[in-house]
Amino acid sequence: MATKTQQAHLGLLYIRWQREDPQVCTQCGSPIKYLYNDGGRFVVTLAGTLKLYTCYYVCTNSSCPFSTPFTLPQDIVLPYKHYGLDVWCWVITSHIEFHDSYNAIAKRLNAYYGLGIAPNTVKAIIETYLVASSHEAEQRTLQLVRESGQLYVAVDGQRPNNGESGLWLFIDTITNRILHLEYLKSARWEVLKAIFEKIEAKYGVPIKAVVSDHQASIIKAVQEFSPTIPHQFCHYHFLKNLHRAVNALDSHLHVKLAEAIHQLYICHLSPLSKPLLLHGRELDRTEWVAPIVRDLIQIIGERSRDFDLFAGFKSYQSLTQYLKLLLQLSQTVLGIPPLHNLIKQTIIQIKKALKAQTPLFRKLEQLLPLFHQIREILGRAPLPTSRVQPAAAQWVQRLQALYQSLTGHPVPHPLKWQRISAETPLDQILAEWIRLYSTHKRGLFHYLTLEQLPRSNVPLEKIFSLELHHFRAAAGRTQVGNLVRVKGGELCIVQQNYTPESIKRILLHHDRRKVKAGIAQFRKRHRLQSATWHTRQDRPLGIHQLIKDTQILVSPP
């Protein structure tokens, strides 16, 4: 039954049958009778305000489903709403796609269309869409999962701040759909096990594998839930744990080299009272050395990129190469003592800085090739399936051999966790890497035998990253945590399923009762957050207690 609209004059719109169309019921073929219209209501659209009349009809066949008053479908405005669907779509697109804040959207609507709308109304429109879209996505997920017949569940959670709850997501890696979201203050294994059971009961299909990082509560939950299913440990998190040791050394090296360069005399050179004379021409030494200063600042201005670029290591290598150019320059100005001495002094200072950091550089020289080897084995350029596990075993053997050559004895067992710093000896760093591999080994290779099981939780990390980017852009950095805890889960679902073309369809077919309940859930979460804001107490100053204790201490017995 198609929608028929006719504009009688500008600003007036009727939802009714066209006179030239047959007035018969599409369900039973009986004649259709016009009853009345609703008297009209004003609707605000991007094109201006119009008065919309909705006509009601009834089928003359008393046994027909359309024997009660009905209207024709329309996509101009939602029931009981003041703003047209074009306004709703504009608001939702601005927020979801372009990350505009509520206030910015209200101001832009006023500037572009002369449309006055309150930020709270914008907020209500967006929340309605978040709930409606997440409900539709949930139904689609249910259908896809049941067609698949099994679940490979990837699980991860955001780190809670100051005792607040953190958002946890559970995703099916086969269908790439969000299965479940939960706000948890404490992710104990009992809680996670109950969630796994809830997911199986909800979708009616078994969980056949789990992907996660090496968090103890997740490992325990999977073992208690189903000890026989494969539990794949995330390669990215494993490499990140290895990278922490390298990063501790590299960042320290970078800081020390940067400090040394910034303290060079050449970087703080002031003009001489009398310029140098060279072949009858005046030469300002500060201008002459400016290219050198810019080069040195550029060299130490390197920035690390996870797994790819190590700023300290790169800066050390670049400074070593730059020394050769400075030596060449010093020979060029050999006949100009002020400049020669300045360059010579700079060379001595840079050599001294490099020498002081050489032990740290040598550690990195041995660790970085080993890190890149395991990364090649597990990540960047995967080997054929049959060679991955043997190659990883050979990598560990190289670590053990290097450890034994440094210490003179084999790697002890069991190994204990240790914090890595710039002062940590190389053998202890190797021991920590060996310990990490031994604890992760049993869960690193399940993906080799299960075709659709991913090696990492990177898709989940991307979802969290997009969510944080949205809230940071829309509300500012300080509000990110609060917004994640109030509506972060629904936003993750919407971002995963969002297309501009689907907005109108979702709004026209949403369940108003469910949407109202979902918005009430937002309010409930917000009240819980507000309660913690009001009841949180600042820690009392420790000096008050110190004064009391000291008075007791110095008083005579």
Side-chain angles (χ1 to χ4, degrees), residues 105-138:
I105 293 171
K107 288 178 181 178
R108 197 169 289 120
L109 279 171
N110 189 34
Y112 292 173
Y113 300 100
L115 193 155
I117 186 171
N120 277 344
T121 304
V122 173
K123 177 183 177 182
I125 290 173
I126 291 166
E127 288 182 342
T128 299
Y129 176 73
L130 286 177
V131 177
S133 182
S134 59
H135 284 164
E136 187 198 66
E138 186 177 348

Side-chain angles (χ1 to χ4, degrees), residues 121-172:
T121 304
V122 173
K123 177 183 177 182
I125 290 173
I126 291 166
E127 288 182 342
T128 299
Y129 176 73
L130 286 177
V131 177
S133 182
S134 59
H135 284 164
E136 187 198 66
E138 186 177 348
Q139 296 304 312
R140 178 63 177 156
T141 300
L142 188 63
Q143 176 189 349
L144 291 174
V145 167
R146 287 179 176 171
E147 289 174 0
S148 170
Q150 60 181 352
L151 290 168
Y152 291 170
V153 178
V155 53
D156 200 5
Q158 292 175 315
R159 189 185 300 277
N161 296 323
N162 302 322
E164 305 284 2
S165 56
L167 173 62
W168 280 70
L169 291 181
F170 298 78
I171 289 183
D172 176 34

Side-chain angles (χ1 to χ4, degrees), residues 309-328:
L309 180 63
F310 297 87
F313 189 79
K314 177 69 174 175
S315 297
Y316 187 101
Q317 289 178 319
S318 299
L319 286 172
T320 303
Q321 293 297 319
Y322 200 74
L323 277 178
K324 297 176 183 178
L325 299 175
L326 288 175
L327 287 168
Q328 181 182 342

Side-chain angles (χ1 to χ4, degrees), residues 319-348:
L319 286 172
T320 303
Q321 293 297 319
Y322 200 74
L323 277 178
K324 297 176 183 178
L325 299 175
L326 288 175
L327 287 168
Q328 181 182 342
L329 180 63
S330 69
Q331 294 300 315
T332 305
V333 296
L334 195 59
I336 311 173
L339 299 183
H340 176 74
N341 293 336
L342 182 61
I343 299 302
K344 185 179 178 181
Q345 181 185 7
T346 302
I347 292 171
I348 292 171

Side-chain angles (χ1 to χ4, degrees), residues 260-503:
I261 294 301
H262 284 300
Q263 291 172 6
L264 289 177
Y265 174 71
I266 197 173
C267 294
H268 304 278
L269 201 60
S270 57
L272 292 172
S273 56
K274 293 183 179 180
L276 297 173
L277 290 176
L278 184 62
H279 302 301
R281 292 181 299 176
E282 291 186 353
L283 179 65
D284 188 337
R285 64 173 186 169
T286 56
E287 292 182 4
W288 185 79
V289 301
I292 300 174
V293 175
R294 285 196 297 269
D295 290 347
L296 293 173
I297 297 300
Q298 179 180 331
I299 288 172
I300 62 169
E302 292 279 3
R303 290 293 177 264
S304 295
R305 290 195 302 270
D306 278 359
F307 304 171
D308 287 321
L309 180 63
F310 297 87
F313 189 79
K314 177 69 174 175
S315 297
Y316 187 101
Q317 289 178 319
S318 299
L319 286 172
T320 303
Q321 293 297 319
Y322 200 74
L323 277 178
K324 297 176 183 178
L325 299 175
L326 288 175
L327 287 168
Q328 181 182 342
L329 180 63
S330 69
Q331 294 300 315
T332 305
V333 296
L334 195 59
I336 311 173
L339 299 183
H340 176 74
N341 293 336
L342 182 61
I343 299 302
K344 185 179 178 181
Q345 181 185 7
T346 302
I347 292 171
I348 292 171
Q349 289 176 317
I350 293 177
K351 281 184 175 179
K352 183 179 178 181
L354 291 174
K355 185 178 180 181
Q357 303 306 321
T358 297
L360 206 53
F361 178 77
R362 297 300 175 210
K363 287 185 198 176
L364 286 168
E365 253 188 337
Q366 291 187 287
L367 289 172
L368 285 179
L370 291 169
F371 176 77
H372 289 307
Q373 285 171 13
I374 191 62
R375 188 186 175 199
E376 292 292 327
I377 292 167
L378 296 180
R380 246 171 121 182
L383 298 169
T385 301
S386 59
R387 291 181 54 196
V388 172
Q389 205 161 350
Q394 291 172 6
W395 177 79
V396 175
Q397 290 171 5
R398 283 193 287 272
L399 296 184
Q400 294 169 338
L402 182 55
Y403 178 92
Q404 189 162 355
S405 69
L406 291 170
T407 62
H409 58 78
V411 180
H413 292 287
L415 290 168
K416 293 183 179 180
W417 174 86
Q418 53 187 326
R419 185 182 298 277
I420 304 298
S421 67
E423 291 74 29
T424 306
L426 180 59
D427 60 288
Q428 292 184 23
I429 297 174
L430 293 171
E432 175 62 11
W433 278 13
I434 294 168
R435 184 196 69 81
L436 282 169
Y437 180 81
S438 64
T439 56
H440 284 73
K441 179 174 64 174
R442 66 186 178 87
L444 286 177
F445 306 107
H446 290 303
Y447 75 97
L448 297 173
T449 54
L450 294 173
E451 184 178 349
Q452 293 177 297
L453 187 67
R455 291 173 293 171
S456 70
N457 255 355
V458 170
L460 259 175
E461 297 291 339
K462 287 182 179 178
I463 290 174
F464 284 137
S465 178
L466 288 172
E467 172 206 36
L468 294 175
H469 168 72
H470 171 83
F471 284 133
R472 194 178 294 120
R477 188 177 295 273
T478 58
Q479 294 298 317
V480 169
N482 298 327
L483 289 171
V484 167
R485 289 185 286 271
V486 172
K487 58 187 74 171
E490 285 77 7
L491 180 74
C492 289
I493 295 174
V494 168
Q495 286 182 321
Q496 193 182 38
N497 297 276
Y498 170 80
T499 59
E501 298 77 19
S502 66
I503 296 175

Side-chain angles (χ1 to χ4, degrees), residues 171-233:
I171 289 183
D172 176 34
T173 64
I174 299 175
T175 59
N176 194 32
R177 307 288 294 187
I178 296 176
L179 300 169
H180 185 76
L181 60 92
E182 195 88 29
Y183 296 89
L184 301 176
K185 280 192 174 181
S186 175
R188 301 187 310 275
W189 71 265
E190 299 94 340
V191 175
L192 297 176
K193 175 176 178 280
I195 292 174
F196 288 139
E197 293 169 347
K198 187 190 298 185
I199 290 172
E200 273 199 342
K202 178 179 179 180
Y203 292 96
V205 297
I207 295 175
K208 292 292 188 179
V210 174
V211 184
S212 75
D213 57 18
H214 198 261
Q215 192 168 326
S217 61
I218 302 177
I219 295 172
K220 176 70 172 174
V222 174
Q223 289 174 345
E224 293 294 327
F225 169 70
S226 181
T228 59
I229 64 172
H231 187 179
Q232 171 71 34
F233 295 144

